[in-house]
Amino acid sequence: MSVTRRQFLLGGAALGAAGSAGWLIRHALMPPPPGVLFSAFEDLPGNQYVGGLVLPEGRVFGQRIPVRAHGNAIDPVNAGRVLFFARRPGTDAFEFDLKTQAVRTIFSTTPGRHLAGHGLFSRAGEFIFTPEHDYETPRGVIGVRDARDFRLLDEIETFGLDPHEIAWLPDGRTLIVANGGIMTHPRSFRRKLNIPSMDPSLCLIDAASGRLIEQLRLPDHLLSIRHLAITSTGVVAAGLQYEGEPAQSPSVVGLYRPGQDFRLLPVPAAARSQVNGYVASIAISETDDVIAAACPMGSGVAFWNLASGEWAGFTVAAETYGITATGDGTLLASQRDGTAFKVEGDTPDPLDLDLSRAVRWDDHWSFSDTPLAGPGPRKS
């Protein structure tokens, strides 16, 4: 019997042992697709880098930067140009050139603002959008910069506090913003100052006018909305982090379909400790009709059926932080200890990595099918 990855992920225990074993053997023998995974990482002494991983050879590359970066954005016009953004309360953004392996600081936020670790290009690549926290007001804003010289051209209100990740809906004009709702200030570093009154929201904003199209909230205000994955039809999966007792978190993923409510996806009682109230990154495989959420404070990767929103299972893999879908829908995940794996059901399929230098991956991977060009990594 031929068993597809989608059938395995969504069928779970319904598959016979022979079918499951055969499927795992076939897919375990298949290398990941060629391309590059971009990510920030650190070495054992704590030095910070931007770079990534060459697939399928498993070669790690990168250059050192002075602060910890978090997410990244690939230039839609030049896939060898990648921007990395400092995590809260950092203020710097960096440009990494895949061909030359060079990195440079490209801008810092204006006084009174800090980055949230994320950003993105406009669809044509001429502008850069970065979610930022105006901590003196306080309020959330999106900085709009020229992608060539990085001049600040405009700002867009996010209609909430603590904007974390932003993404485009398929029209390329509507920004979706994950307002985490948490107030912080650099003087208190990463301390959360307003948990009893935090107000997270998911906002749809017209990028050209700054007009708020829709603002959506979840029933529990302690569910901070952090990370986003978008389908080609505009379905949004949001990764959540619960600011109460993890065992009391009603879910860790919210789902929004255009024209419908923003709702929580179910987590069975037996799986609450596995997700443990925290998602570090989220991805969608439209090929396999799966939403996947990395739960590093729990014990691995949780799955839901994209079409129905129903719970679809769990892969146990400690400290899984980054997860992304490749062009063919393959899900790849990173672990904080430097290892990585293909998500192929309830058993992770390890990638063969060259870890001659120890690395600790940060929370986010971005996939590009652009081959690595130019010289190999230079020693820092």
Side-chain angles (χ1 to χ4, degrees), residues 310-358:
E310 294 303 309
W311 176 259
F314 199 87
T315 291
V316 176
E319 287 196 298
T320 300
Y321 278 85
I323 192 161
T324 192
T326 66
D328 68 355
T330 300
L331 290 165
L332 301 177
S334 65
Q335 294 171 275
R336 187 52 60 87
D337 66 359
T339 56
F341 60 94
K342 286 193 293 179
V343 183
E344 297 283 15
D346 58 3
T347 303
D349 181 9
L351 299 183
D352 184 13
L353 306 187
D354 175 9
L355 295 178
S356 52
R357 62 170 176 175

mmCIF file of all heavy atoms in Angstrom, residues 310-358:
data_model
loop_
_atom_site.group_PDB
_atom_site.id
_atom_site.type_symbol
_atom_site.label_atom_id
_atom_site.label_comp_id
_atom_site.label_asym_id
_atom_site.label_seq_id
_atom_site.Cartn_x
_atom_site.Cartn_y
_atom_site.Cartn_z
ATOM 1 N N GLU A 310 -8.859 20.234 13.185
ATOM 2 C CA GLU A 310 -8.809 19.230 14.240
ATOM 3 C C GLU A 310 -7.369 18.853 14.595
ATOM 4 O O GLU A 310 -6.466 18.930 13.767
ATOM 5 C CB GLU A 310 -9.585 17.979 13.816
ATOM 6 C CG GLU A 310 -11.084 18.204 13.672
ATOM 7 C CD GLU A 310 -11.715 18.744 14.950
ATOM 8 O OE1 GLU A 310 -11.488 18.141 16.018
ATOM 9 O OE2 GLU A 310 -12.406 19.782 14.878
ATOM 10 N N TRP A 311 -7.203 18.429 15.850
ATOM 11 C CA TRP A 311 -5.910 17.944 16.336
ATOM 12 C C TRP A 311 -5.465 16.760 15.486
ATOM 13 O O TRP A 311 -6.267 15.870 15.168
ATOM 14 C CB TRP A 311 -6.045 17.537 17.790
ATOM 15 C CG TRP A 311 -4.820 16.920 18.413
ATOM 16 C CD1 TRP A 311 -4.584 15.592 18.626
ATOM 17 C CD2 TRP A 311 -3.675 17.611 18.932
ATOM 18 N NE1 TRP A 311 -3.377 15.399 19.236
ATOM 19 C CE2 TRP A 311 -2.789 16.617 19.448
ATOM 20 C CE3 TRP A 311 -3.314 18.951 19.024
ATOM 21 C CZ2 TRP A 311 -1.570 16.941 20.035
ATOM 22 C CZ3 TRP A 311 -2.091 19.267 19.608
ATOM 23 C CH2 TRP A 311 -1.237 18.283 20.099
ATOM 24 N N ALA A 312 -4.160 16.711 15.112
ATOM 25 C CA ALA A 312 -3.675 15.657 14.221
ATOM 26 C C ALA A 312 -2.462 14.925 14.751
ATOM 27 O O ALA A 312 -1.908 14.085 14.051
ATOM 28 C CB ALA A 312 -3.357 16.236 12.852
ATOM 29 N N GLY A 313 -2.004 15.242 15.964
ATOM 30 C CA GLY A 313 -0.917 14.452 16.527
ATOM 31 C C GLY A 313 0.268 15.267 16.987
ATOM 32 O O GLY A 313 0.240 16.509 17.003
ATOM 33 N N PHE A 314 1.354 14.569 17.349
ATOM 34 C CA PHE A 314 2.506 15.200 17.978
ATOM 35 C C PHE A 314 3.767 14.410 17.643
ATOM 36 O O PHE A 314 3.754 13.174 17.607
ATOM 37 C CB PHE A 314 2.312 15.237 19.499
ATOM 38 C CG PHE A 314 3.177 16.237 20.204
ATOM 39 C CD1 PHE A 314 2.765 17.553 20.352
ATOM 40 C CD2 PHE A 314 4.410 15.872 20.708
ATOM 41 C CE1 PHE A 314 3.565 18.484 21.000
ATOM 42 C CE2 PHE A 314 5.223 16.791 21.352
ATOM 43 C CZ PHE A 314 4.800 18.099 21.499
ATOM 44 N N THR A 315 4.860 15.137 17.372
ATOM 45 C CA THR A 315 6.187 14.538 17.225
ATOM 46 C C THR A 315 7.025 14.934 18.424
ATOM 47 O O THR A 315 7.193 16.123 18.707
ATOM 48 C CB THR A 315 6.883 15.034 15.940
ATOM 49 O OG1 THR A 315 6.205 14.508 14.805
ATOM 50 C CG2 THR A 315 8.329 14.573 15.885
ATOM 51 N N VAL A 316 7.545 13.971 19.145
ATOM 52 C CA VAL A 316 8.360 14.250 20.324
ATOM 53 C C VAL A 316 9.791 14.536 19.892
ATOM 54 O O VAL A 316 10.433 13.705 19.233
ATOM 55 C CB VAL A 316 8.320 13.058 21.302
ATOM 56 C CG1 VAL A 316 9.259 13.311 22.486
ATOM 57 C CG2 VAL A 316 6.897 12.825 21.806
ATOM 58 N N ALA A 317 10.276 15.721 20.231
ATOM 59 C CA ALA A 317 11.647 16.134 19.909
ATOM 60 C C ALA A 317 11.981 17.327 20.801
ATOM 61 O O ALA A 317 11.431 18.410 20.638
ATOM 62 C CB ALA A 317 11.786 16.512 18.434
ATOM 63 N N ALA A 318 12.873 17.141 21.736
ATOM 64 C CA ALA A 318 13.131 18.142 22.772
ATOM 65 C C ALA A 318 13.653 19.448 22.198
ATOM 66 O O ALA A 318 14.435 19.456 21.248
ATOM 67 C CB ALA A 318 14.139 17.583 23.779
ATOM 68 N N GLU A 319 13.207 20.560 22.808
ATOM 69 C CA GLU A 319 13.681 21.914 22.487
ATOM 70 C C GLU A 319 13.627 22.221 20.995
ATOM 71 O O GLU A 319 14.579 22.734 20.409
ATOM 72 C CB GLU A 319 15.103 22.128 23.016
ATOM 73 C CG GLU A 319 15.163 22.289 24.518
ATOM 74 C CD GLU A 319 16.479 22.886 24.983
ATOM 75 O OE1 GLU A 319 17.531 22.245 24.759
ATOM 76 O OE2 GLU A 319 16.463 23.994 25.540
ATOM 77 N N THR A 320 12.502 21.903 20.372
ATOM 78 C CA THR A 320 12.296 22.278 18.974
ATOM 79 C C THR A 320 11.835 23.725 18.916
ATOM 80 O O THR A 320 10.802 24.068 19.471
ATOM 81 C CB THR A 320 11.255 21.365 18.313
ATOM 82 O OG1 THR A 320 11.715 20.007 18.382
ATOM 83 C CG2 THR A 320 11.061 21.743 16.852
ATOM 84 N N TYR A 321 12.580 24.576 18.234
ATOM 85 C CA TYR A 321 12.269 26.000 18.157
ATOM 86 C C TYR A 321 11.837 26.434 16.758
ATOM 87 O O TYR A 321 10.815 27.070 16.582
ATOM 88 C CB TYR A 321 13.471 26.834 18.609
ATOM 89 C CG TYR A 321 13.583 26.971 20.102
ATOM 90 C CD1 TYR A 321 14.224 25.997 20.863
ATOM 91 C CD2 TYR A 321 13.052 28.068 20.769
ATOM 92 C CE1 TYR A 321 14.326 26.117 22.240
ATOM 93 C CE2 TYR A 321 13.148 28.195 22.139
ATOM 94 C CZ TYR A 321 13.791 27.219 22.876
ATOM 95 O OH TYR A 321 13.868 27.332 24.234
ATOM 96 N N GLY A 322 12.659 26.156 15.759
ATOM 97 C CA GLY A 322 12.350 26.619 14.410
ATOM 98 C C GLY A 322 11.614 25.567 13.613
ATOM 99 O O GLY A 322 11.894 24.371 13.738
ATOM 100 N N ILE A 323 10.664 26.001 12.781
ATOM 101 C CA ILE A 323 10.001 25.076 11.865
ATOM 102 C C ILE A 323 9.597 25.844 10.614
ATOM 103 O O ILE A 323 9.179 27.016 10.693
ATOM 104 C CB ILE A 323 8.795 24.382 12.524
ATOM 105 C CG1 ILE A 323 8.298 23.221 11.652
ATOM 106 C CG2 ILE A 323 7.671 25.359 12.840
ATOM 107 C CD1 ILE A 323 7.452 22.225 12.400
ATOM 108 N N THR A 324 9.758 25.208 9.460
ATOM 109 C CA THR A 324 9.401 25.851 8.199
ATOM 110 C C THR A 324 9.013 24.799 7.185
ATOM 111 O O THR A 324 9.356 23.617 7.335
ATOM 112 C CB THR A 324 10.575 26.696 7.663
ATOM 113 O OG1 THR A 324 10.135 27.534 6.601
ATOM 114 C CG2 THR A 324 11.711 25.825 7.161
ATOM 115 N N ALA A 325 8.300 25.219 6.162
ATOM 116 C CA ALA A 325 7.943 24.338 5.053
ATOM 117 C C ALA A 325 8.792 24.687 3.844
ATOM 118 O O ALA A 325 8.961 25.864 3.503
ATOM 119 C CB ALA A 325 6.462 24.469 4.724
ATOM 120 N N THR A 326 9.326 23.680 3.175
ATOM 121 C CA THR A 326 10.067 23.897 1.937
ATOM 122 C C THR A 326 9.077 24.041 0.783
ATOM 123 O O THR A 326 7.864 23.935 0.969
ATOM 124 C CB THR A 326 11.027 22.733 1.663
ATOM 125 O OG1 THR A 326 10.259 21.546 1.413
ATOM 126 C CG2 THR A 326 11.949 22.495 2.845
ATOM 127 N N GLY A 327 9.597 24.248 -0.412
ATOM 128 C CA GLY A 327 8.727 24.471 -1.560
ATOM 129 C C GLY A 327 7.815 23.305 -1.885
ATOM 130 O O GLY A 327 6.711 23.504 -2.414
ATOM 131 N N ASP A 328 8.229 22.079 -1.552
ATOM 132 C CA ASP A 328 7.386 20.924 -1.838
ATOM 133 C C ASP A 328 6.516 20.523 -0.651
ATOM 134 O O ASP A 328 5.877 19.471 -0.676
ATOM 135 C CB ASP A 328 8.232 19.733 -2.310
ATOM 136 C CG ASP A 328 9.125 19.158 -1.206
ATOM 137 O OD1 ASP A 328 9.167 19.735 -0.088
ATOM 138 O OD2 ASP A 328 9.785 18.132 -1.453
ATOM 139 N N GLY A 329 6.497 21.367 0.388
ATOM 140 C CA GLY A 329 5.662 21.091 1.543
ATOM 141 C C GLY A 329 6.323 20.297 2.638
ATOM 142 O O GLY A 329 5.711 20.054 3.688
ATOM 143 N N THR A 330 7.574 19.879 2.446
ATOM 144 C CA THR A 330 8.292 19.175 3.505
ATOM 145 C C THR A 330 8.484 20.094 4.700
ATOM 146 O O THR A 330 8.895 21.247 4.550
ATOM 147 C CB THR A 330 9.668 18.691 3.000
ATOM 148 O OG1 THR A 330 9.476 17.809 1.905
ATOM 149 C CG2 THR A 330 10.441 17.984 4.100
ATOM 150 N N LEU A 331 8.217 19.589 5.897
ATOM 151 C CA LEU A 331 8.407 20.362 7.118
ATOM 152 C C LEU A 331 9.760 20.014 7.728
ATOM 153 O O LEU A 331 10.068 18.838 7.951
ATOM 154 C CB LEU A 331 7.293 20.065 8.120
ATOM 155 C CG LEU A 331 5.912 20.594 7.734
ATOM 156 C CD1 LEU A 331 4.830 19.951 8.595
ATOM 157 C CD2 LEU A 331 5.854 22.114 7.871
ATOM 158 N N LEU A 332 10.561 21.051 7.992
ATOM 159 C CA LEU A 332 11.868 20.891 8.612
ATOM 160 C C LEU A 332 11.898 21.673 9.913
ATOM 161 O O LEU A 332 11.373 22.788 9.988
ATOM 162 C CB LEU A 332 12.975 21.387 7.683
ATOM 163 C CG LEU A 332 13.075 20.712 6.308
ATOM 164 C CD1 LEU A 332 14.166 21.378 5.482
ATOM 165 C CD2 LEU A 332 13.352 19.222 6.443
ATOM 166 N N ALA A 333 12.515 21.094 10.928
ATOM 167 C CA ALA A 333 12.522 21.719 12.254
ATOM 168 C C ALA A 333 13.927 21.724 12.835
ATOM 169 O O ALA A 333 14.741 20.835 12.552
ATOM 170 C CB ALA A 333 11.569 20.976 13.189
ATOM 171 N N SER A 334 14.211 22.727 13.664
ATOM 172 C CA SER A 334 15.522 22.845 14.302
ATOM 173 C C SER A 334 15.382 22.696 15.808
ATOM 174 O O SER A 334 14.358 23.044 16.402
ATOM 175 C CB SER A 334 16.158 24.206 13.978
ATOM 176 O OG SER A 334 15.396 25.260 14.545
ATOM 177 N N GLN A 335 16.435 22.177 16.419
ATOM 178 C CA GLN A 335 16.483 22.047 17.863
ATOM 179 C C GLN A 335 17.606 22.918 18.405
ATOM 180 O O GLN A 335 18.600 23.170 17.736
ATOM 181 C CB GLN A 335 16.686 20.578 18.247
ATOM 182 C CG GLN A 335 15.475 19.715 17.864
ATOM 183 C CD GLN A 335 15.724 18.235 18.039
ATOM 184 O OE1 GLN A 335 16.260 17.602 17.144
ATOM 185 N NE2 GLN A 335 15.335 17.702 19.179
ATOM 186 N N ARG A 336 17.423 23.369 19.631
ATOM 187 C CA ARG A 336 18.357 24.331 20.195
ATOM 188 C C ARG A 336 19.775 23.775 20.299
ATOM 189 O O ARG A 336 20.748 24.535 20.293
ATOM 190 C CB ARG A 336 17.833 24.782 21.572
ATOM 191 C CG ARG A 336 18.619 25.912 22.231
ATOM 192 C CD ARG A 336 18.825 27.129 21.341
ATOM 193 N NE ARG A 336 17.625 27.774 20.875
ATOM 194 C CZ ARG A 336 16.960 28.721 21.519
ATOM 195 N NH1 ARG A 336 17.364 29.128 22.705
ATOM 196 N NH2 ARG A 336 15.891 29.279 20.991
ATOM 197 N N ASP A 337 19.936 22.460 20.365
ATOM 198 C CA ASP A 337 21.277 21.884 20.497
ATOM 199 C C ASP A 337 22.026 21.795 19.171
ATOM 200 O O ASP A 337 23.127 21.246 19.103
ATOM 201 C CB ASP A 337 21.215 20.507 21.158
ATOM 202 C CG ASP A 337 20.496 19.458 20.308
ATOM 203 O OD1 ASP A 337 20.028 19.802 19.205
ATOM 204 O OD2 ASP A 337 20.397 18.303 20.762
ATOM 205 N N GLY A 338 21.417 22.329 18.073
ATOM 206 C CA GLY A 338 22.089 22.328 16.780
ATOM 207 C C GLY A 338 21.620 21.241 15.844
ATOM 208 O O GLY A 338 21.930 21.279 14.648
ATOM 209 N N THR A 339 20.894 20.264 16.342
ATOM 210 C CA THR A 339 20.376 19.213 15.475
ATOM 211 C C THR A 339 19.123 19.704 14.757
ATOM 212 O O THR A 339 18.557 20.744 15.086
ATOM 213 C CB THR A 339 20.067 17.939 16.280
ATOM 214 O OG1 THR A 339 19.164 18.264 17.342
ATOM 215 C CG2 THR A 339 21.337 17.357 16.865
ATOM 216 N N ALA A 340 18.681 18.932 13.767
ATOM 217 C CA ALA A 340 17.509 19.299 12.975
ATOM 218 C C ALA A 340 16.914 18.021 12.397
ATOM 219 O O ALA A 340 17.575 16.973 12.328
ATOM 220 C CB ALA A 340 17.894 20.261 11.863
ATOM 221 N N PHE A 341 15.649 18.111 11.959
ATOM 222 C CA PHE A 341 14.994 16.905 11.467
ATOM 223 C C PHE A 341 13.876 17.237 10.499
ATOM 224 O O PHE A 341 13.328 18.339 10.503
ATOM 225 C CB PHE A 341 14.450 16.066 12.637
ATOM 226 C CG PHE A 341 13.437 16.758 13.519
ATOM 227 C CD1 PHE A 341 12.069 16.630 13.291
ATOM 228 C CD2 PHE A 341 13.847 17.534 14.597
ATOM 229 C CE1 PHE A 341 11.135 17.247 14.102
ATOM 230 C CE2 PHE A 341 12.921 18.156 15.423
ATOM 231 C CZ PHE A 341 11.563 18.008 15.171
ATOM 232 N N LYS A 342 13.567 16.237 9.661
ATOM 233 C CA LYS A 342 12.360 16.291 8.857
ATOM 234 C C LYS A 342 11.204 15.819 9.722
ATOM 235 O O LYS A 342 11.323 14.841 10.452
ATOM 236 C CB LYS A 342 12.475 15.387 7.625
ATOM 237 C CG LYS A 342 13.371 15.907 6.537
ATOM 238 C CD LYS A 342 13.175 15.132 5.238
ATOM 239 C CE LYS A 342 13.649 13.706 5.357
ATOM 240 N NZ LYS A 342 13.446 12.943 4.100
ATOM 241 N N VAL A 343 10.081 16.533 9.629
ATOM 242 C CA VAL A 343 8.894 16.154 10.391
ATOM 243 C C VAL A 343 8.090 15.194 9.522
ATOM 244 O O VAL A 343 7.410 15.604 8.593
ATOM 245 C CB VAL A 343 8.055 17.397 10.765
ATOM 246 C CG1 VAL A 343 6.862 16.998 11.622
ATOM 247 C CG2 VAL A 343 8.922 18.413 11.498
ATOM 248 N N GLU A 344 8.169 13.914 9.837
ATOM 249 C CA GLU A 344 7.585 12.892 8.985
ATOM 250 C C GLU A 344 6.648 11.979 9.768
ATOM 251 O O GLU A 344 6.630 10.770 9.561
ATOM 252 C CB GLU A 344 8.689 12.063 8.331
ATOM 253 C CG GLU A 344 9.598 12.847 7.421
ATOM 254 C CD GLU A 344 8.984 13.166 6.061
ATOM 255 O OE1 GLU A 344 7.761 13.028 5.900
ATOM 256 O OE2 GLU A 344 9.721 13.589 5.166
ATOM 257 N N GLY A 345 5.889 12.498 10.691
ATOM 258 C CA GLY A 345 4.978 11.678 11.481
ATOM 259 C C GLY A 345 5.333 11.763 12.941
ATOM 260 O O GLY A 345 5.835 12.780 13.412
ATOM 261 N N ASP A 346 5.094 10.687 13.705
ATOM 262 C CA ASP A 346 5.330 10.756 15.139
ATOM 263 C C ASP A 346 6.782 10.476 15.512
ATOM 264 O O ASP A 346 7.125 10.477 16.692
ATOM 265 C CB ASP A 346 4.392 9.798 15.883
ATOM 266 C CG ASP A 346 4.549 8.349 15.431
ATOM 267 O OD1 ASP A 346 5.419 8.080 14.582
ATOM 268 O OD2 ASP A 346 3.787 7.503 15.924
ATOM 269 N N THR A 347 7.659 10.252 14.527
ATOM 270 C CA THR A 347 9.083 10.036 14.781
ATOM 271 C C THR A 347 9.895 11.007 13.935
ATOM 272 O O THR A 347 9.778 11.001 12.715
ATOM 273 C CB THR A 347 9.492 8.593 14.426
ATOM 274 O OG1 THR A 347 8.692 7.679 15.170
ATOM 275 C CG2 THR A 347 10.963 8.360 14.753
ATOM 276 N N PRO A 348 10.736 11.862 14.561
ATOM 277 C CA PRO A 348 11.537 12.787 13.752
ATOM 278 C C PRO A 348 12.573 12.044 12.918
ATOM 279 O O PRO A 348 13.131 11.021 13.349
ATOM 280 C CB PRO A 348 12.203 13.677 14.809
ATOM 281 C CG PRO A 348 12.181 12.883 16.070
ATOM 282 C CD PRO A 348 10.968 12.007 16.010
ATOM 283 N N ASP A 349 12.823 12.541 11.720
ATOM 284 C CA ASP A 349 13.794 11.954 10.798
ATOM 285 C C ASP A 349 15.006 12.895 10.765
ATOM 286 O O ASP A 349 14.974 13.933 10.107
ATOM 287 C CB ASP A 349 13.164 11.814 9.419
ATOM 288 C CG ASP A 349 14.098 11.178 8.401
ATOM 289 O OD1 ASP A 349 15.168 10.685 8.816
ATOM 290 O OD2 ASP A 349 13.763 11.181 7.202
ATOM 291 N N PRO A 350 16.094 12.584 11.492
ATOM 292 C CA PRO A 350 17.202 13.527 11.651
ATOM 293 C C PRO A 350 17.858 13.897 10.319
ATOM 294 O O PRO A 350 18.015 13.057 9.431
ATOM 295 C CB PRO A 350 18.187 12.775 12.561
ATOM 296 C CG PRO A 350 17.372 11.728 13.231
ATOM 297 C CD PRO A 350 16.314 11.338 12.246
ATOM 298 N N LEU A 351 18.233 15.170 10.195
ATOM 299 C CA LEU A 351 19.045 15.611 9.074
ATOM 300 C C LEU A 351 20.514 15.353 9.393
ATOM 301 O O LEU A 351 20.940 15.452 10.554
ATOM 302 C CB LEU A 351 18.837 17.099 8.808
ATOM 303 C CG LEU A 351 17.431 17.560 8.439
ATOM 304 C CD1 LEU A 351 17.444 19.062 8.148
ATOM 305 C CD2 LEU A 351 16.875 16.792 7.255
ATOM 306 N N ASP A 352 21.276 15.046 8.378
ATOM 307 C CA ASP A 352 22.705 14.795 8.539
ATOM 308 C C ASP A 352 23.432 16.125 8.434
ATOM 309 O O ASP A 352 23.645 16.643 7.335
ATOM 310 C CB ASP A 352 23.177 13.813 7.467
ATOM 311 C CG ASP A 352 24.649 13.421 7.647
ATOM 312 O OD1 ASP A 352 25.202 13.720 8.733
ATOM 313 O OD2 ASP A 352 25.238 12.856 6.714
ATOM 314 N N LEU A 353 23.800 16.702 9.580
ATOM 315 C CA LEU A 353 24.430 18.018 9.614
ATOM 316 C C LEU A 353 25.905 17.905 9.952
ATOM 317 O O LEU A 353 26.320 17.035 10.722
ATOM 318 C CB LEU A 353 23.755 18.911 10.660
ATOM 319 C CG LEU A 353 22.245 19.103 10.574
ATOM 320 C CD1 LEU A 353 21.806 20.158 11.582
ATOM 321 C CD2 LEU A 353 21.821 19.488 9.177
ATOM 322 N N ASP A 354 26.674 18.816 9.393
ATOM 323 C CA ASP A 354 28.083 18.953 9.762
ATOM 324 C C ASP A 354 28.145 19.909 10.948
ATOM 325 O O ASP A 354 28.093 21.127 10.785
ATOM 326 C CB ASP A 354 28.889 19.495 8.582
ATOM 327 C CG ASP A 354 30.350 19.761 8.959
ATOM 328 O OD1 ASP A 354 30.761 19.365 10.069
ATOM 329 O OD2 ASP A 354 31.070 20.363 8.135
ATOM 330 N N LEU A 355 28.238 19.355 12.128
ATOM 331 C CA LEU A 355 28.276 20.173 13.345
ATOM 332 C C LEU A 355 29.685 20.171 13.929
ATOM 333 O O LEU A 355 29.888 19.991 15.125
ATOM 334 C CB LEU A 355 27.258 19.662 14.365
ATOM 335 C CG LEU A 355 25.784 19.800 13.932
ATOM 336 C CD1 LEU A 355 24.855 19.216 14.985
ATOM 337 C CD2 LEU A 355 25.431 21.258 13.668
ATOM 338 N N SER A 356 30.678 20.378 13.038
ATOM 339 C CA SER A 356 32.056 20.441 13.503
ATOM 340 C C SER A 356 32.272 21.630 14.430
ATOM 341 O O SER A 356 33.183 21.622 15.250
ATOM 342 C CB SER A 356 33.011 20.530 12.303
ATOM 343 O OG SER A 356 32.637 21.583 11.436
ATOM 344 N N ARG A 357 31.419 22.658 14.273
ATOM 345 C CA ARG A 357 31.374 23.710 15.290
ATOM 346 C C ARG A 357 29.971 23.683 15.880
ATOM 347 O O ARG A 357 28.976 23.642 15.156
ATOM 348 C CB ARG A 357 31.707 25.085 14.711
ATOM 349 C CG ARG A 357 30.767 25.592 13.643
ATOM 350 C CD ARG A 357 31.086 27.050 13.345
ATOM 351 N NE ARG A 357 30.275 27.572 12.258
ATOM 352 C CZ ARG A 357 30.308 28.848 11.879
ATOM 353 N NH1 ARG A 357 31.090 29.700 12.485
ATOM 354 N NH2 ARG A 357 29.557 29.263 10.862
ATOM 355 N N ALA A 358 29.899 23.674 17.187
ATOM 356 C CA ALA A 358 28.611 23.567 17.858
ATOM 357 C C ALA A 358 27.794 24.838 17.645
ATOM 358 O O ALA A 358 28.324 25.951 17.701
ATOM 359 C CB ALA A 358 28.810 23.322 19.349
#
